[in-house]
């Protein structure tokens, strides 16, 4: 006898898989694939190059274009060093909240999406409903592009609407900043620090590049934002370095310094623009280093690239989700999602999901029971709209 799981049970099962981005998600994918198969829903895996992770997508309904795809990621951030009051990989209900790693970001939405797909199969739909579950969203949204490309290349009918269920308190989010990251390796020349004029400190030149980020942020903060950017907090592109490593001793000019430099780019500006500005600064500092010693310089390589989500004019995704939620507010966010990756591949895209982004990545992460139930009510209305 086929067992149909309710959304909370599905969430509990998903949370039980510790799919931290550094580890495999295959146990979770195995479960989802098997559960869908029990309900006569075939699914397709899109493995990563290592074979240790996989995305998965599925289709229910007629083989026609114009349906809806529900998009979520399966990975979660680590719990290392966080003080949890409960087992992070077990759903615990307390004080009107479901606690657990991923309840908010975003296995709660994943569970609701799986439930809705099975319901669509049982009830029958006139327009298709699709599911897309990615990996490695938390380390740069690297798992979604090959998944989306595979969906398109497979011949699966293309959905007219992509709903990316990141926690938005069920508000309709129509725009987010793009993300651009570079791995930076500053190569210095070691000498005793008493002879600093003969050496090149990778740490000190790295500091110059990091301070350039401060200058960028200060300049952008006082500039008048474009209209499309004014709703963001903050309403400008930001540059940031969160971790730095380098040097061997306090009295030796550092041979190496490494860090990742990232940008969060408002929709009114281009990734190409900021890439060019960054490369210009790197070239300038490298020239200063090589004027002291030729075997020095700054090497950079792409770390990640996440396109922004641009508000659409008369977009089908926004229109549908506003109808389903009743939310007519103008909402944009500064964090990145996979929505821009769907959008740049021709899907009308919007962000809407249960939970508060303020709880994401936190110890004792939770989603309120009220928000989770609101997510299920949204899925019910979506299913009705597909009849």
């Amino acid at each position: 006898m086929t067992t149909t799981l309710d959304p909370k049970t599905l969430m509990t099962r998903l949370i039980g898989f510790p799919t931290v981005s550094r580890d495999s998600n295959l146990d979770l994918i195995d479960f989802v694939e098997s559960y869908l198969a029990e309900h006569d829903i075939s699914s397709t895996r899109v493995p990563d190059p290592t074979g240790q992770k996989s995305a998965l997508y599925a289709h229910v309904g007629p083989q026609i274009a114009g349906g809806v795809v529900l998009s979520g990621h399966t990975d979660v951030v680590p719990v290392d060093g966080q003080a949890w009051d409960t087992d992070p990989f077990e759903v615990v209900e307390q004080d009107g909240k479901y606690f657990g790693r991923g309840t908010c970001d975003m296995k709660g939405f994943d569970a609701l999406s799986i439930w809705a797909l099975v319901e669509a199969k049982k009830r029958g739909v006139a327009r298709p409903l699709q599911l897309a579950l990615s990996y490695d969203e938390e380390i740069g949204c690297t798992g979604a592009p090959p998944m989306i490309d595979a969906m398109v290349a497979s011949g699966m009918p293309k959905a007219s609407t992509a709903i990316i269920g990141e926690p938005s308190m069920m508000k309709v989010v129509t725009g987010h900043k793009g993300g651009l990251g570079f791995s930076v390796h500053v190569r210095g020349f070691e000498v005793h620090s008493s002879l600093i004029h003969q050496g090149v400190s990778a740490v000190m030149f790295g500091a110059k590049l990091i301070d350039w980020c401060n200058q960028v942020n200060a300049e952008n903060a006082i500039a008048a934002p474009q209209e499309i950017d004014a709703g963001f907090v903050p309403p400008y592109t930001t540059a940031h370095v969160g971790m730095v490593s380098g040097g061997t001793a306090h009295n030796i000019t550092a041979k190496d310094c490494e860090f990742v430099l990232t940008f969060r780019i408002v929709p009114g500006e281009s990734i190409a623009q900021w890439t060019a500005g960054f490369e210009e600064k790197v070239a300038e500092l490298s020239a200063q280093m090589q004027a002291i010693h030729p075997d020095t310089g700054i090497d950079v390589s792409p770390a990640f690239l996440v396109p922004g989500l641009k508000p659409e004019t008369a977009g089908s995704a926004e229109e549908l989700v506003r109808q389903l939620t009743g939310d007519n507010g103008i909402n944009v966010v500064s964090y990145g999602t996979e929505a821009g990756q769907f959008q740049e591949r021709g899907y009308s895209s919007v962000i809407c999901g249960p939970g508060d982004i303020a709880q994401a990545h936190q110890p004792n992460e939770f989603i309120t029971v009220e928000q989770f139930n609101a997510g299920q009510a949204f899925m019910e209305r979506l299913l009705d709209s597909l009849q």
Side-chain angles (χ1 to χ4, degrees):
M1 180 179 177
T2 301
T3 301
T4 301
L5 303 179
D6 62 76
K8 182 189 174 184
T9 302
L10 282 166
M11 178 173 66
T12 299
R13 294 293 299 274
L14 298 182
I15 297 294
F17 298 106
T19 52
V20 175
S21 299
R22 65 184 176 225
D23 300 321
S24 174
N25 73 338
L26 293 184
D27 287 345
L28 182 151
I29 293 297
D30 288 344
F31 163 72
V32 175
E33 183 180 59
S34 297
Y35 180 69
L36 295 180
E38 288 178 14
H39 293 274
D40 296 321
I41 301 172
S42 62
S43 57
T44 302
R45 296 189 183 210
V46 184
D48 80 337
T50 71
Q52 297 303 305
K53 300 178 183 180
S54 185
L56 178 145
Y57 63 86
H59 173 105
V60 163
Q63 293 295 311
I64 59 174
V68 174
V69 57
L70 300 173
S71 166
H73 60 82
T74 62
D75 59 318
V76 295
V77 297
V79 299
D80 308 43
Q82 294 186 337
W84 282 72
D85 297 326
T86 62
D87 182 342
F89 297 109
E90 177 182 343
V91 174
V92 175
E93 183 177 357
Q94 185 177 334
D95 300 326
K97 302 170 183 176
Y98 295 128
F99 291 90
R101 173 57 86 222
T103 49
C104 176
D105 185 21
M106 59 180 302
K107 290 181 177 179
F109 180 82
D110 292 347
L112 291 164
S113 299
I114 295 166
W115 174 83
L117 197 72
V118 170
E119 286 297 305
K121 179 70 173 181
K122 290 167 55 180
R123 301 179 189 186
V125 286
R127 292 173 55 206
L129 184 64
Q130 298 171 352
L131 174 71
L133 299 178
S134 69
Y135 59 87
D136 283 357
E137 189 273 350
E138 296 290 6
I139 55 175
C141 296
T142 58
M147 175 187 68
I148 305 168
D149 292 343
M151 291 165 62
V152 174
S154 72
M156 185 175 73
K158 191 170 185 178
S160 61
T161 292
I163 301 174
I164 289 75
E166 293 283 357
S168 71
M169 296 294 288
M170 299 308 300
K171 299 295 185 181
V172 181
V173 174
T174 58
H176 70 66
K177 292 184 179 183
L180 176 64
F182 294 95
S183 295
V184 179
H185 178 201
V186 186
R187 296 178 289 106
F189 180 68
E190 290 180 309
V191 298
H192 193 279
S193 60
S194 64
L195 300 173
I196 190 171
H197 66 291
Q198 297 177 1
V200 178
S201 170
V203 167
M204 295 178 73
F205 271 92
K208 291 186 178 184
L209 187 55
I210 294 170
D211 189 52
W212 176 75
C213 294
N214 293 324
Q215 297 169 30
V216 163
N217 292 336
E219 292 169 3
N220 288 352
I222 63 175
Q226 299 184 47
E227 183 177 356
I228 194 174
D229 304 329
F232 287 90
V233 180
Y236 53 85
T237 294
T238 57
H240 177 253
V241 174
M243 297 175 64
V244 183
S245 64
T248 55
H250 70 88
N251 60 350
I252 302 174
T253 57
K255 182 179 180 182
D256 298 287
C257 180
E258 296 181 312
F259 50 88
V260 174
L261 190 153
T262 63
F263 298 92
R264 293 188 181 270
I265 302 171
V266 290
E269 297 171 348
S270 72
I271 286 173
Q273 167 190 346
W274 283 101
T275 299
F278 169 72
E279 291 176 343
E280 181 180 350
K281 187 63 180 181
V282 167
E284 173 192 327
L285 292 175
S286 291
Q288 293 176 18
M289 297 170 70
Q290 289 165 3
I292 302 170
H293 196 283
D295 295 332
T296 62
I298 303 175
D299 301 324
V300 300
S301 59
F304 62 85
L305 172 60
V306 182
L309 174 66
K310 297 180 179 180
E312 301 171 355
T313 301
S316 61
E318 179 181 351
E319 180 180 359
L320 172 64
V321 178
R322 288 198 187 283
Q323 290 174 354
L324 296 177
T325 61
D327 175 33
N328 292 313
I330 304 300
N331 305 293
V332 295
V333 295
S334 293
Y335 58 82
T337 78
E338 297 168 338
Q341 294 170 327
F342 274 92
Q343 187 180 64
E344 74 173 1
R345 286 162 175 80
Y347 290 81
S348 178
S349 302
V350 72
I351 300 166
C352 185
D356 187 343
I357 192 63
Q359 302 306 321
H361 304 182
Q362 299 300 307
N364 297 320
E365 177 183 347
F366 68 84
I367 187 171
T368 65
V369 174
E370 180 182 19
Q371 273 291 298
F372 191 70
N373 291 343
Q376 183 171 357
F378 172 86
M379 292 300 180
E380 290 279 8
R381 293 191 292 272
L382 173 61
L383 290 167
D384 289 342
S385 76
L386 297 175
Q387 298 295 320

